């Protein structure tokens, strides 16, 4: 209620457009899906966490040339939406839109409360998280996504997009309470696609919920949240649950 109505954060609005984009992508309507995806990005940049997965899907399903075309269309949408601001103050608009030097307040962090504030604010720590993020995405693409049957099924498309976003959330240099909507709805499907035992999946879901509902965050709540993230990422890198693999194989054989 606080996130969606009381404080009127733009995160839920961005995710609404993102899920609409996912719906079009599941129906293999790539152009419309990319346009709506770009609209979601224009509302909040966190949607870019889905971009590596989307790029992989487009490359796998449409080829390099059409993928470049879809990316150009996404860029055109951003250009048209930002045109009034670009005409008025182009340098200011670009600088504030991509302000990578922005510092988050330690008092609001949900995921790194257990760290000393000096480490939390360290540029080296931020670069290490970025390097880890890129490495994990490459590992996912090599060990999980590349081995999925082609053409990609709607389930595979969903898992790729959600996995791309989950890795980004796990490697975020700070998470605030409204950011929970970035991945809350995807956690059950994502975790149940792994080989994690069902009781452990339920425990993780409960611990994640408890951590996000602890206010203000504590050393323990943030540590529990990050442990859950680490377990989830490691599980995503492993082969999928047996029944999931069988479903994907059956869909591949039946076309």
């Amino acid at each position: 209620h606080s996130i969606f109505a009381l404080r009127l954060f733009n995160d839920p609005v961005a995710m609404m457009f993102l899920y609409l984009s996912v719906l079009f992508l599941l129906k293999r309507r790539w152009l419309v899906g990319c346009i709506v995806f770009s609209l979601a990005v224009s509302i909040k940049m966190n949607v870019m966490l889905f971009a590596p997965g989307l790029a992989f899907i487009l490359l796998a399903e449409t080829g390099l040339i059409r993928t470049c075309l879809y990316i150009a269309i996404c860029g055109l949408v951003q250009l048209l939406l930002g045109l009034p601001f670009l005409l008025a103050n182009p340098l200011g608009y670009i600088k504030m839109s991509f302000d990578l030097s922005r510092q988050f307040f330690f008092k609001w962090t949900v995921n790194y409360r257990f760290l000393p504030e000096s480490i939390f604010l360290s540029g080296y720590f931020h670069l290490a998280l970025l390097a880890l993020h890129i490495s994990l995405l490459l590992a996912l693409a090599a060990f999980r996504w590349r081995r999925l049957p082609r053409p990609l099924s709607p389930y595979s498309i969903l898992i790729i997009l959600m996995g791309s976003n989950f890795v980004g959330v796990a490697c975020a240099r700070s998470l605030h309470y409204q950011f929970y909507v970035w991945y809350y709805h995807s956690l059950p499907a994502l975790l149940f696609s792994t080989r994690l035992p069902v009781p452990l999946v339920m425990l993780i879901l409960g611990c994640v919920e408890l951590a996000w509902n602890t206010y203000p965050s504590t050393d323990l709540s943030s540590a529990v949240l990050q442990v859950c993230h680490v377990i989830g990422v490691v599980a995503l890198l492993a082969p999928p649950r047996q029944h999931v693999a069988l479903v994907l194989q059956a869909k591949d054989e039946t076309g």
Side-chain angles (χ1 to χ4, degrees):
H1 177 267
S2 174
I3 294 174
F4 283 86
L6 183 61
R7 300 177 187 271
L8 295 177
F9 287 111
N10 61 348
D11 303 77
V13 180
M15 294 308 297
M16 179 185 70
F17 277 87
L18 181 278
Y19 289 133
L20 180 60
S21 169
V22 171
L23 179 62
F24 285 117
L25 295 173
L26 295 180
K27 295 179 179 293
R28 310 182 76 82
R29 297 180 63 179
W30 310 119
L31 177 59
V32 180
C34 287
I35 291 175
V36 179
F37 180 86
S38 190
L39 291 175
V41 171
S42 72
I43 299 171
K44 188 145 188 174
M45 288 285 288
N46 74 281
V47 176
M48 286 296 294
L49 296 178
F50 291 87
L54 176 59
F56 181 91
I57 291 167
L58 292 175
L59 281 170
E61 297 298 291
T62 68
L64 178 60
I65 295 178
R66 291 186 64 185
T67 296
C68 292
L69 177 61
Y70 290 135
I71 293 175
I73 291 173
C74 289
L76 180 60
V77 171
Q78 294 300 310
L79 181 63
L80 292 175
L81 291 174
L83 192 58
F85 310 100
L86 289 169
L87 292 175
N89 185 3
L91 293 179
Y93 177 74
I94 294 174
K95 179 182 178 181
M96 296 306 296
S97 297
F98 303 95
D99 186 11
L100 301 179
S101 63
R102 176 188 175 191
Q103 288 281 16
F104 293 102
F105 290 111
F106 182 67
K107 67 177 181 178
W108 295 118
T109 185
V110 178
N111 57 332
Y112 283 122
R113 175 70 65 180
F114 58 89
L115 291 178
E117 186 171 1
S118 58
I119 295 179
F120 175 81
L121 297 174
S122 170
Y124 294 107
F125 178 60
H126 302 160
L127 289 175
L129 288 174
L130 178 60
L132 178 62
H133 185 190
I134 295 172
S135 299
L136 289 173
L137 286 173
L138 292 174
L140 263 181
F143 298 113
R144 280 293 302 270
W145 301 345
R146 189 173 59 85
R147 298 179 180 181
L148 291 170
R150 307 295 173 80
L152 294 172
S153 67
Y155 182 82
S156 295
I157 292 173
L158 194 63
I159 292 299
I160 290 173
L161 290 170
M162 291 189 303
S164 175
N165 180 61
F166 182 78
V167 167
V169 171
C171 296
R173 55 184 172 136
S174 184
L175 294 174
H176 298 171
Y177 285 96
Q178 66 270 26
F179 297 175
Y180 192 21
V181 298
W182 293 2
Y183 74 140
Y184 164 75
H185 304 91
S186 67
L187 283 176
L190 198 61
L191 293 176
F192 277 114
S193 74
T194 70
R195 287 181 176 270
L196 293 175
V198 173
L200 180 55
V201 170
M202 300 303 295
L203 178 62
I204 291 174
L205 292 174
C207 287
V208 168
E209 181 72 13
L210 179 63
W212 279 99
N213 281 277
T214 300
Y215 179 82
S217 62
T218 64
D219 292 356
L220 179 60
S221 68
S222 62
V224 167
L225 180 62
Q226 284 303 87
V227 168
C228 292
H229 287 165
V230 170
I231 295 174
V233 170
V234 172
L236 283 176
L237 291 172
R241 193 182 296 273
Q242 185 177 9
H243 78 269
V244 173
L246 291 175
V247 168
L248 293 175
Q249 182 180 0
K251 288 184 177 181
D252 184 48
E253 291 175 352
T254 58

